[in-house]
Amino acid sequence: SIRKTQDGMQTILTQWDEIGPTFQEEWEKLKEDFWGTVNLIRAKINAHYDELKAKFEENLNAKEALIVKAKEINNQSYDSIKSWNEATKNAIELQEEWKKTGQAPKDKNQEIWDEFRAIFDDLFGKKNAYFKTIKQDATKNANLKKELIAKAEELKMTDQWKDGTRDLINLQNQWKEILSE
Protein backbone atom coordinates (compact mmCIF):
# COMPACT_ATOMS: atom_id res chain seq x y z
CA SER A 1 0.00 0.00 0.00
CA ILE A 2 1.09 3.55 -0.57
CA ARG A 3 0.87 4.32 3.13
CA LYS A 4 3.24 1.45 4.00
CA THR A 5 5.60 2.59 1.26
CA GLN A 6 5.66 6.12 2.68
CA ASP A 7 6.19 4.86 6.22
CA GLY A 8 8.92 2.48 5.07
CA MET A 9 10.66 5.26 3.17
CA GLN A 10 10.51 7.53 6.22
CA THR A 11 12.03 4.76 8.35
CA ILE A 12 14.84 4.27 5.83
CA LEU A 13 15.50 8.03 5.70
CA THR A 14 15.71 8.12 9.50
CA GLN A 15 18.08 5.17 9.50
CA TRP A 16 20.20 6.82 6.79
CA ASP A 17 20.59 9.88 8.98
CA GLU A 18 21.40 7.80 12.06
CA ILE A 19 24.03 5.58 10.45
CA GLY A 20 27.51 6.78 11.08
CA PRO A 21 30.14 7.89 8.57
CA THR A 22 31.56 5.68 5.85
CA PHE A 23 34.71 5.68 3.77
CA GLN A 24 35.09 8.88 1.78
CA GLU A 25 35.84 7.06 -1.49
CA GLU A 26 32.52 5.12 -1.24
CA TRP A 27 30.41 8.03 0.00
CA GLU A 28 29.50 9.55 -3.38
CA LYS A 29 28.49 6.18 -4.89
CA LEU A 30 26.38 5.24 -1.81
CA LYS A 31 24.77 8.65 -1.67
CA GLU A 32 23.92 8.56 -5.40
CA ASP A 33 22.43 5.06 -5.18
CA PHE A 34 20.46 5.85 -2.03
CA TRP A 35 18.99 9.16 -3.19
CA GLY A 36 18.33 7.78 -6.66
CA THR A 37 16.21 5.01 -5.12
CA VAL A 38 14.50 7.44 -2.72
CA ASN A 39 13.65 9.76 -5.61
CA LEU A 40 12.18 6.85 -7.61
CA ILE A 41 9.99 5.90 -4.64
CA ARG A 42 8.92 9.53 -4.18
CA ALA A 43 8.05 9.75 -7.87
CA LYS A 44 5.85 6.64 -7.55
CA ILE A 45 4.17 8.06 -4.45
CA ASN A 46 3.58 11.40 -6.18
CA ALA A 47 2.23 9.64 -9.28
CA HIS A 48 -0.20 7.71 -7.07
CA TYR A 49 -1.48 10.91 -5.45
CA ASP A 50 -1.73 12.63 -8.83
CA GLU A 51 -3.87 9.72 -10.11
CA LEU A 52 -5.96 9.88 -6.96
CA LYS A 53 -6.44 13.62 -7.37
CA ALA A 54 -7.48 13.14 -11.00
CA LYS A 55 -9.95 10.43 -9.97
CA PHE A 56 -11.40 12.71 -7.29
CA GLU A 57 -11.85 15.46 -9.90
CA GLU A 58 -13.53 12.97 -12.21
CA ASN A 59 -15.84 11.93 -9.37
CA LEU A 60 -16.59 15.59 -8.63
CA ASN A 61 -17.64 16.14 -12.25
CA ALA A 62 -19.84 13.03 -12.15
CA LYS A 63 -21.46 14.17 -8.91
CA GLU A 64 -22.09 17.66 -10.29
CA ALA A 65 -23.87 16.02 -13.24
CA LEU A 66 -25.99 14.03 -10.76
CA ILE A 67 -26.88 17.27 -8.99
CA VAL A 68 -28.11 18.70 -12.30
CA LYS A 69 -30.30 15.61 -12.83
CA ALA A 70 -31.58 15.84 -9.26
CA LYS A 71 -32.54 19.48 -9.80
CA GLU A 72 -34.44 18.49 -12.94
CA ILE A 73 -36.41 15.90 -10.98
CA ASN A 74 -37.08 18.37 -8.17
CA ASN A 75 -38.17 21.20 -10.48
CA GLN A 76 -40.89 19.20 -12.21
CA SER A 77 -44.51 19.26 -11.09
CA TYR A 78 -46.15 16.06 -9.98
CA ASP A 79 -49.91 15.85 -9.76
CA SER A 80 -50.65 12.16 -9.46
CA ILE A 81 -49.61 9.22 -7.34
CA LYS A 82 -48.15 7.58 -10.43
CA SER A 83 -45.97 10.61 -11.26
CA TRP A 84 -44.76 10.84 -7.64
CA ASN A 85 -43.89 7.14 -7.64
CA GLU A 86 -41.90 7.59 -10.86
CA ALA A 87 -40.10 10.63 -9.43
CA THR A 88 -39.28 8.67 -6.27
CA LYS A 89 -37.92 5.79 -8.33
CA ASN A 90 -35.72 8.19 -10.33
CA ALA A 91 -34.53 9.90 -7.17
CA ILE A 92 -33.53 6.61 -5.55
CA GLU A 93 -31.67 5.59 -8.71
CA LEU A 94 -29.73 8.86 -8.61
CA GLN A 95 -28.88 8.31 -4.95
CA GLU A 96 -27.59 4.81 -5.73
CA GLU A 97 -25.49 6.19 -8.57
CA TRP A 98 -24.13 8.84 -6.17
CA LYS A 99 -23.01 6.14 -3.74
CA LYS A 100 -21.23 4.25 -6.52
CA THR A 101 -19.44 7.31 -7.86
CA GLY A 102 -16.74 7.56 -5.21
CA GLN A 103 -15.23 10.38 -3.24
CA ALA A 104 -14.68 13.89 -4.56
CA PRO A 105 -11.83 16.15 -3.42
CA LYS A 106 -12.00 16.62 0.36
CA ASP A 107 -12.47 20.38 0.13
CA LYS A 108 -15.57 19.93 -2.07
CA ASN A 109 -16.96 16.60 -0.89
CA GLN A 110 -19.14 17.84 1.99
CA GLU A 111 -20.33 20.88 0.07
CA ILE A 112 -21.64 18.91 -2.91
CA TRP A 113 -23.15 16.24 -0.64
CA ASP A 114 -25.05 18.94 1.27
CA GLU A 115 -26.33 20.40 -2.01
CA PHE A 116 -27.39 16.97 -3.31
CA ARG A 117 -29.09 16.06 -0.02
CA ALA A 118 -30.93 19.42 0.13
CA ILE A 119 -32.45 18.82 -3.31
CA PHE A 120 -33.92 15.50 -2.19
CA ASP A 121 -35.00 16.87 1.17
CA ASP A 122 -37.01 19.45 -0.76
CA LEU A 123 -38.38 16.86 -3.22
CA PHE A 124 -39.48 14.45 -0.50
CA GLY A 125 -40.91 17.35 1.52
CA LYS A 126 -43.12 18.25 -1.45
CA LYS A 127 -44.08 14.59 -1.87
CA ASN A 128 -45.01 14.37 1.81
CA ALA A 129 -47.18 17.49 1.51
CA TYR A 130 -48.88 16.09 -1.61
CA PHE A 131 -49.76 12.80 0.07
CA LYS A 132 -50.86 14.60 3.22
CA THR A 133 -53.32 16.58 1.08
CA ILE A 134 -54.56 13.38 -0.56
CA LYS A 135 -55.09 11.82 2.85
CA GLN A 136 -57.00 14.88 4.05
CA ASP A 137 -59.17 14.78 0.93
CA ALA A 138 -59.79 11.06 1.37
CA THR A 139 -60.80 11.62 5.00
CA LYS A 140 -63.12 14.46 3.98
CA ASN A 141 -64.66 12.32 1.21
CA ALA A 142 -65.12 9.40 3.59
CA ASN A 143 -66.98 11.65 6.03
CA LEU A 144 -69.21 13.01 3.25
CA LYS A 145 -70.00 9.47 2.10
CA LYS A 146 -70.88 8.44 5.67
CA GLU A 147 -73.32 11.36 5.81
CA LEU A 148 -74.88 10.22 2.52
CA ILE A 149 -75.19 6.66 3.84
CA ALA A 150 -76.93 7.93 6.97
CA LYS A 151 -79.38 9.92 4.81
CA ALA A 152 -79.97 6.85 2.62
CA GLU A 153 -80.68 4.81 5.76
CA GLU A 154 -83.31 7.37 6.74
CA LEU A 155 -84.87 7.25 3.26
CA LYS A 156 -85.39 3.51 3.34
CA MET A 157 -87.94 4.00 6.09
CA THR A 158 -90.08 6.47 4.14
CA ASP A 159 -93.55 5.71 2.88
CA GLN A 160 -93.35 8.44 0.26
CA TRP A 161 -92.07 6.37 -2.69
CA LYS A 162 -92.00 9.14 -5.22
CA ASP A 163 -90.24 11.66 -2.98
CA GLY A 164 -88.00 8.94 -1.54
CA THR A 165 -86.94 7.81 -5.01
CA ARG A 166 -86.14 11.38 -6.05
CA ASP A 167 -84.16 11.95 -2.84
CA LEU A 168 -82.28 8.68 -3.30
CA ILE A 169 -81.35 9.65 -6.87
CA ASN A 170 -80.08 13.00 -5.52
CA LEU A 171 -77.97 11.12 -2.96
CA GLN A 172 -76.54 8.93 -5.73
CA ASN A 173 -75.62 12.03 -7.73
CA GLN A 174 -73.96 13.56 -4.68
CA TRP A 175 -72.02 10.28 -4.23
CA LYS A 176 -70.79 10.51 -7.83
CA GLU A 177 -69.70 14.11 -7.29
CA ILE A 178 -67.63 13.04 -4.29
CA LEU A 179 -65.91 10.38 -6.42
CA SER A 180 -65.03 12.89 -9.13
CA GLU A 181 -63.42 15.39 -6.73
Side-chain angles (χ1 to χ4, degrees):
S1 92
I2 199 70
R3 186 46 118 184
K4 286 182 180 178
T5 302
Q6 286 178 300
D7 292 344
M9 189 176 79
Q10 190 59 44
T11 301
I12 291 170
L13 287 172
T14 302
Q15 289 174 347
W16 174 264
D17 290 339
E18 292 173 353
I19 295 176
T22 185
F23 297 110
Q24 189 62 33
E25 56 274 358
E26 294 179 25
W27 172 246
E28 286 303 316
K29 172 84 171 104
L30 284 171
K31 186 171 80 169
E32 236 177 73
D33 288 347
F34 178 77
W35 288 108
T37 303
V38 166
N39 288 335
L40 282 174
I41 294 171
R42 282 185 178 157
K44 286 181 181 180
I45 291 170
N46 289 339
H48 169 77
Y49 283 117
D50 288 343
E51 287 175 22
L52 201 57
K53 184 177 179 182
K55 181 65 177 162
F56 285 168
E57 286 298 322
E58 190 179 303
N59 292 346
L60 176 63
N61 292 336
K63 287 186 174 190
E64 287 172 342
L66 291 174
I67 287 173
V68 169
K69 289 179 183 179
K71 285 179 180 178
E72 289 171 5
I73 291 171
N74 190 33
N75 290 336
Q76 291 182 17
S77 295
Y78 304 103
D79 57 358
S80 69
I81 294 173
K82 183 178 179 180
S83 64
W84 272 111
N85 288 340
E86 184 67 24
T88 301
K89 179 179 156 258
N90 293 337
I92 290 170
E93 287 172 0
L94 278 183
Q95 290 172 341
E96 290 302 316
E97 193 173 338
W98 181 278
K99 291 175 188 175
K100 293 176 187 174
T101 301
Q103 187 175 351
K106 285 189 180 194
D107 60 332
K108 298 277 188 178
N109 206 36
Q110 189 63 44
E111 177 184 333
I112 62 170
W113 167 248
D114 290 343
E115 182 178 359
F116 187 72
R117 190 72 244 154
I119 292 167
F120 287 111
D121 287 347
D122 185 47
L123 176 72
F124 291 123
K126 290 189 268 188
K127 179 183 175 183
N128 187 24
Y130 174 80
F131 280 95
K132 193 178 281 186
T133 301
I134 286 179
K135 187 176 180 181
Q136 288 172 345
D137 290 346
T139 302
K140 178 183 126 196
N141 289 347
N143 290 335
L144 290 173
K145 287 178 182 181
K146 286 177 185 175
E147 289 175 14
L148 292 177
I149 291 170
K151 289 178 183 177
E153 290 288 332
E154 290 174 15
L155 284 177
K156 78 177 183 181
M157 300 299 175
T158 185
D159 292 337
Q160 305 297 322
W161 293 101
K162 188 173 185 177
D163 291 339
T165 303
R166 184 178 32 86
D167 291 344
L168 189 57
I169 290 171
N170 285 336
L171 289 177
Q172 289 173 335
N173 289 334
Q174 289 175 19
W175 185 278
K176 290 177 187 175
E177 286 177 21
I178 291 172
L179 290 177
S180 65
E181 288 180 7

